[in-house]
Amino acid sequence: ETAIDTLSRLLALDSSEPEMIRYASGALDVLYGSSSQFAKQVEVLRRASEWAESSEERKGLLSRMAEVEEVALEDQDAALRSWDLVLAEDPQDGPALAACERLYESRGQYREMADMVRRRVDLMADPQERAQGLQKLASLHEQRLQEGSAAIDCLLEVLDLPVDGVPVLEKLSALYRSEGRYDDLLDSLERRVQTAAGAERAELLFEAGVVLAEELSRPADALEHFSDVVRIDSDHSGARKRLLGFVSDRDLRLRAAEILDPLYEAGGAYDALIELLELLCEDNDDGAAVMGNLRRIASLREAHLSDSAGAFEALKKAVRVGLAEPELPELLSDLQRLAAENDALNVLVGVYREIAPDVFDGDLQRRLYLDIADLSRAVLQDDTTSLQYYRLLLDAQPYDKRALAALE
């Protein structure tokens, strides 16, 4: 107490001697601090800062004062005011900026905290350190201030630095999606694809394809992305499903089928391949293409699925659309064989009766009329139908020996 009283009187009496002031205030700082008289310690430091002869000396005293106010007095408001005085002396003072950042964060003053972080980042020369600071600032804008665009701007700054940009691109992708910036999202995904491999690359391509299809209305580009996915992972269910969906698009169906067909064939996915071929037949004005697909369906069902009945049904459809095609005779032979295997000659006769009037080839039409008549008489015991078709044949060819013999 005696020392404190003596130094206090000395400080009050001799304010014209800088050295004496420094000595007295320094000693009082220590004595007040050790005796827990923190309010008086702060006052001594404040007076000493007013008498400081240099900016550095003043900054040091004000910094010491701020630390006492924050830690010992637990007075954050006073500490912030003191740190502001430090920054008034030197706007680039690192410890002061860091202290203000910490204090603003503890008080939930995130706008002010963001300003401190930005000021600190602007002082950082090391790329790694600067990148970390920018990412912290981005997180602050996104999570505390709900400012997605500002967060994006911070992360874009990171990409300009010579640091690993992959984690940043991942974060940018998420932000672009939440902000609805789909062109930018696509760009970030494409950049990530360039450095990815294997399953990760496939997933990024798939995500980019979904963005193209659903958000940017670019189905053709989306299809090619899904194609790239199955080239990496032929079993990727999401890409396969998306590609199958394109089969209903008249402009893209052939390209989608071109991609899926060999995948299904190689994997023995014959049910899926048949579904694909059936989709290709829907809403399709190309009779030759439809007939070819139906013939293939029949072949797959018979050869790989032991489904003779299903093959017969497919060929029934094929002959109806292939009346003008040169493969029709071969189709009819296969249809007749399958009808016999499935005990469906009555159905075969019905198909023949349906298509025969529209067959352009006269010889083939004659064959159909004779088959209808013969099968109706010999297999179906339907003499009425048999007579009808022998007579139709004679109307076209009055001297047809086979028809005349049968009628006789």
Side-chain angles (χ1 to χ4, degrees):
E1 285 293 331
T2 302
I4 290 174
D5 291 341
T6 302
L7 290 168
S8 297
R9 287 195 297 272
L10 181 61
L11 190 61
L13 292 173
D14 202 351
S15 60
S16 62
E17 293 292 335
E19 290 301 323
M20 186 61 68
I21 292 171
R22 287 192 186 90
Y23 168 75
S25 60
L28 284 171
D29 177 18
V30 173
L31 289 170
Y32 282 140
S34 63
S35 60
S36 300
Q37 299 183 63
F38 302 119
K40 293 182 177 180
Q41 181 183 12
V42 165
E43 184 57 33
V44 166
L45 290 168
R46 187 188 314 281
R47 293 181 61 189
S49 69
E50 295 170 356
W51 299 325
E53 293 185 337
S54 69
S55 178
E56 284 301 315
E57 183 182 2
R58 186 173 298 106
K59 280 171 47 181
L61 291 166
L62 290 171
S63 298
R64 170 79 173 140
M65 183 172 70
E67 291 168 357
V68 173
E69 289 168 330
E70 178 185 356
V71 177
L73 295 178
E74 298 181 349
D75 188 346
Q76 291 186 348
D77 290 333
L80 279 169
R81 288 193 295 271
S82 297
W83 286 121
D84 282 341
L85 292 173
V86 175
L87 291 173
E89 290 291 325
D90 180 4
Q92 298 183 351
D93 187 90
L97 291 170
C100 287
E101 176 188 331
R102 184 186 66 253
L103 286 166
Y104 285 134
E105 181 176 20
S106 69
R107 294 157 64 89
Q109 294 178 250
Y110 298 114
R111 178 72 60 194
E112 292 79 1
M113 178 187 173
D115 179 59
M116 293 298 112
V117 175
R118 166 52 73 181
R119 290 170 67 174
R120 290 185 65 203
V121 166
D122 290 342
L123 298 176
M124 296 172 181
D126 178 73
Q128 289 290 347
E129 185 181 3
R130 186 175 177 86
Q132 291 174 2
L134 285 167
Q135 290 180 75
K136 179 177 182 178
L137 183 57
S139 178
L140 184 58
H141 279 296
E142 178 196 5
Q143 297 177 14
R144 297 299 187 180
L145 300 174
Q146 286 73 55
E147 296 174 345
S149 294
I152 288 170
D153 291 340
C154 293
L155 294 176
L156 289 174
E157 286 188 58
V158 178
L159 293 183
D160 292 331
L161 299 173
V163 298
D164 180 12
V166 173
V168 177
L169 284 169
E170 293 176 3
K171 187 60 180 176
L172 274 171
S173 294
L175 283 167
Y176 285 141
R177 185 180 295 281
S178 65
E179 293 292 307
R181 292 169 57 170
Y182 295 110
D183 284 304
D184 291 325
L185 171 58
L186 177 63
D187 178 67
S188 69
L189 291 171
E190 300 284 13
R191 292 178 68 174
R192 291 167 64 189
V193 166
Q194 295 172 11
T195 59
E200 181 186 5
R201 182 180 179 89
E203 288 305 320
L204 289 171
L205 285 166
F206 179 73
E207 187 176 352
V210 172
V211 171
L212 284 163
E214 296 184 356
E215 308 297 348
L216 299 179
S217 300
R218 292 166 54 185
D221 292 330
L223 185 150
E224 295 305 324
H225 277 67
F226 298 136
S227 174
D228 290 339
V229 173
V230 295
R231 274 199 289 269
I232 298 171
D233 178 4
S234 60
D235 295 323
H236 194 288
S237 60
R240 283 191 174 211
K241 184 176 180 181
R242 292 276 180 171
L243 287 166
L244 188 60
F246 284 117
V247 177
S248 60
D249 187 319
R250 293 178 67 92
D251 296 327
L252 299 175
R253 61 171 43 175
L254 292 179
R255 175 59 181 144
E258 179 186 5
I259 298 165
L260 286 171
D261 191 325
L263 291 176
Y264 291 154
E265 185 89 53
Y270 299 114
D271 286 320
L273 179 53
I274 288 170
E275 180 185 0
L276 171 65
L277 294 170
E278 288 174 341
L279 286 171
L280 287 174
C281 293
E282 294 177 3
D283 192 27
N284 191 337
D285 299 329
D286 187 342
V290 172
M291 185 196 70
N293 288 328
L294 288 168
R295 288 189 73 185
R296 191 167 172 214
I297 290 171
S299 176
L300 289 167
R301 287 195 178 282
E302 186 176 12
H304 297 290
L305 300 179
S306 300
D307 182 8
S308 178
F312 178 62
E313 291 299 318
L315 284 184
K316 281 167 54 181
K317 297 176 183 177
V319 297
R320 289 187 177 105
V321 298
L323 295 178
E325 303 303 325
E327 298 90 348
L328 183 59
E330 184 180 347
L331 265 176
L332 291 171
S333 296
D334 288 339
L335 184 66
Q336 188 164 350
R337 175 180 58 81
L338 289 169
E341 289 180 11
N342 288 277
D343 194 22
L345 291 175
N346 60 326
V347 177
L348 179 68
V349 169
V351 173
Y352 281 2
R353 293 182 69 177
E354 177 186 342
I355 68 171
D358 298 320
V359 172
F360 304 127
D361 185 313
D363 291 337
L364 185 57
Q365 189 179 58
R366 173 182 176 274
R367 170 190 155 186
L368 287 171
Y369 282 163
L370 284 171
D371 285 349
I372 294 169
D374 291 346
L375 288 168
S376 295
R377 181 182 61 169
V379 178
L380 305 181
Q381 287 80 48
D382 183 355
D383 290 341
T384 302
T385 300
S386 180
L387 284 169
Q388 176 188 352
Y389 277 89
Y390 283 136
R391 286 169 178 163
L392 279 173
L393 181 55
L394 288 174
D395 287 342
Q397 301 181 33
Y399 300 104
D400 189 283
K401 293 180 180 181
R402 183 174 167 185
L404 287 170
L407 284 173
E408 184 180 347

